[in-house]
Amino acid sequence: MKELRYSIVGITFALIFCGLPVRAQEGIVADSINQQTNEVDVKEIVFGHIGDSYEWHMTDIGDKSIVIPLPIIVYSSMSGWHTFLSSRLEEHGGTYEGFSIAPAGTKYEGKLIEKDATGEAVRPFDISITKVTLSLFMNSAILLAIILGVAHWYRKREQSASAPGGFIGLMEMFIMMVHDDVIKSCVGPNYKKFAPYLLTAFFFIFINNIMGLIPIFPGGANVTGNIAITMVLAICTFLVVNLFGTRTYWREVFWPDVPWWLKVPIPMMPFIELFGLFTKPFALMIRLFANMLAGHMAILVLTSLVFISASMGPAINGSLTVASVVFNVFMNILELLVAFIQAYVFTMLSAVFIGLAQETKHEKEKIEI
């Protein structure tokens, strides 16, 4: 538990700072309903939620939007460092200190830009605290509070005390399930070395998945549906697998046990094995990203049916509203299951890849016999 606690602190902060460069992908959410045509802009609703932004939109009360402005931190090659709240942009007509949000349809749509001497839009070095980054901080703080709280309870617990119940018991069940059923069985004899990282990855993904399903602040941010976040997680697994790989593992990569004509004069199999080193983390990245993104999009599209059918008459609107509510309830329950499954699958595949990299020559000979 002590190793797990220290690992979670270190890896969580690494994930936070790796996530800082996540940029605004779709810009600040505008009005979801076109005021002139009175039609629902489903694309704006969907991409406004799943995209990153420089502010956190809470709700609308009448014509007034309730938002949390976030700090913009950029470095311009022309004017140096700039730090200000995103609300300054709106207060000054969309431009502040030479920076503005690129409009829709442009090259840097939704991202912070400035104009160079020729008047062309360029991107500054941007480490702003965006919606996804803020959510990373909050969700990581929740993760640390939970794990450190459980560790504190066990540190004070006497050896003869009865098994814990309540939340502590629930956490023990989760930890032991992942530890025994996934890590221990997939990694092999050296599982203790990698258990802290794999447990951290599981709970980090699971908590971010759950928080993404909560529709109100501090939930609702599409963290694990952001490919930059899943890329950082996949890179962490890639580094763990290859930095701690055994000599037998690397021998199988560069000189696999196949007929010689597959290795010389054209190193076909070594090339395939080397290419496989990168396809494994790529699969981890895309799997988590695509599954979480698709779930968010499906829920938002189903919700939009209520507003799309508003102009079709009370009968159609009422029927689609009922269908939308029923399917939304089903999808949210399904997404709770998916939130756990995706964290479980990512951890299990990472453990399998680590276990394959831990194979020794003696173990390989035993398997062949």
Side-chain angles (χ1 to χ4, degrees), residues 4-25:
L4 171 61
R5 184 168 71 250
Y6 291 151
S7 176
I8 284 178
V9 173
I11 296 174
T12 298
F13 280 105
L15 288 168
I16 289 174
F17 288 109
C18 286
L20 281 176
V22 176
R23 296 295 158 257
Q25 297 171 352

Side-chain angles (χ1 to χ4, degrees), residues 44-66:
E44 188 69 33
I45 294 174
V46 174
F47 286 97
H49 172 78
I50 65 176
D52 201 1
S53 65
Y54 293 100
E55 65 181 10
W56 196 311
H57 183 270
M58 305 281 286
T59 186
D60 291 326
I61 301 178
D63 296 332
K64 184 177 180 181
S65 295
I66 308 299

Side-chain angles (χ1 to χ4, degrees), residues 28 53-56 65-73 83-97 99 101 112 129:
I28 300 173
S53 65
Y54 293 100
E55 65 181 10
W56 196 311
S65 295
I66 308 299
V67 299
I68 298 176
L70 300 175
I72 292 177
I73 307 169
T83 303
F84 54 90
L85 289 176
S86 59
S87 56
R88 295 290 187 183
L89 294 170
E90 186 177 354
E91 293 170 1
H92 293 80
T95 302
Y96 184 72
E97 296 184 358
F99 299 97
I101 302 295
L112 203 70
I129 307 298

